[in-house]
Amino acid sequence: MKTRTLLVSVALGTTLVLGACGNSDTSSSGDKMDTKTEMSDKQDKMMKANEKVMLQGSFAGVGKHQVSGMVTIKDNKLMLTNFVTDEGPDLHVYLVKGDDVKNGVEVSAIDLKDKTQTFDVSDKDLTKYDNVVIYCEKAHETFGQAPVSEGMDDTAMSMMTGTFAGVGTHKVSGTATVEGSTLKLANFKTDEGPDLHVYLTKDGDINTGMEIDAIDLKDAEHSFDLKNLDTSAYNSVVIYCQKAHEAFGKAMLEG
């Protein structure tokens, strides 16, 4: 009887221990499932919030570096267009708040030869950032940045931008951006001329184009009021010498 009682007690104890272990495993598994569900819910909410984000900005170089082009953040994508940068050993694109790269997030390495690049940013909280930075990780140095702000919706006039190239023997560089009723020239350089003006044209045709204003040869940044001009009729910005009747440079605009 004692032997039988002992065996029953041992069996009962083993069952209780195994049951406790089983309950522990089930509880642990449940906790993991809850954590995964919470993370998935947060990711879904962030992606839905990101879908409402539409940000745009134009690059400018920092310090001695030259960076130009446009950045657009839309539909969980970060897009660079007409992008040109000085060469660097290890350039990456970052999303940052202000100019705080240390607390920003890296998006990807960039291709120095590609003027149009697209990156997936669906895993980034786009509501936290207001600046896109080109950063050299090897030199710990910012090459360029584009402060971004809310872009126009699909019913509004889109932003158009282009990169200048010289015409003939002339040298002109920098970017032209048409946004709403403003034309901006950034990182702008041109050969000297006696009477240089900026024009909006269709395919570079000065005769049917619209003169905007004279330009300051010493100023790398220009901003011109287009006075509600219908910019949809034009697709290029031309630097034109009125005295010599000669185009010095042209930037084809893309939306």
Side-chain angles (χ1 to χ4, degrees), residues 60-67 85-94 96 99-102 110 132-145:
V62 173
K64 62 183 180 180
H65 302 293
Q66 292 189 6
V67 179
T85 178
D86 284 349
E87 290 190 7
D90 192 20
L91 296 185
H92 290 241
V93 59
Y94 274 73
V96 307
D99 57 1
D100 186 8
V101 176
K102 290 183 179 180
I110 61 172
V132 177
V133 168
I134 304 302
Y135 186 75
C136 180
E137 294 192 340
K138 191 170 184 178
H140 304 292
E141 188 175 2
T142 297
F143 272 45
Q145 60 183 357

Side-chain angles (χ1 to χ4, degrees), residues 144-200:
Q145 60 183 357
V148 291
S149 57
E150 289 188 8
M152 295 165 286
D153 59 29
D154 294 336
T155 61
M157 185 184 300
S158 62
M159 179 187 287
M160 298 185 294
T161 187
T163 302
F164 279 107
V167 174
T169 60
H170 301 293
K171 293 182 179 180
V172 179
S173 61
T175 59
T177 301
V178 175
E179 182 178 9
S181 60
T182 303
L183 167 64
K184 295 179 181 179
L185 308 185
N187 297 313
F188 180 74
K189 292 182 180 180
T190 178
D191 285 349
E192 290 189 7
D195 191 20
L196 296 185
H197 289 242
V198 60
Y199 279 72
L200 278 176

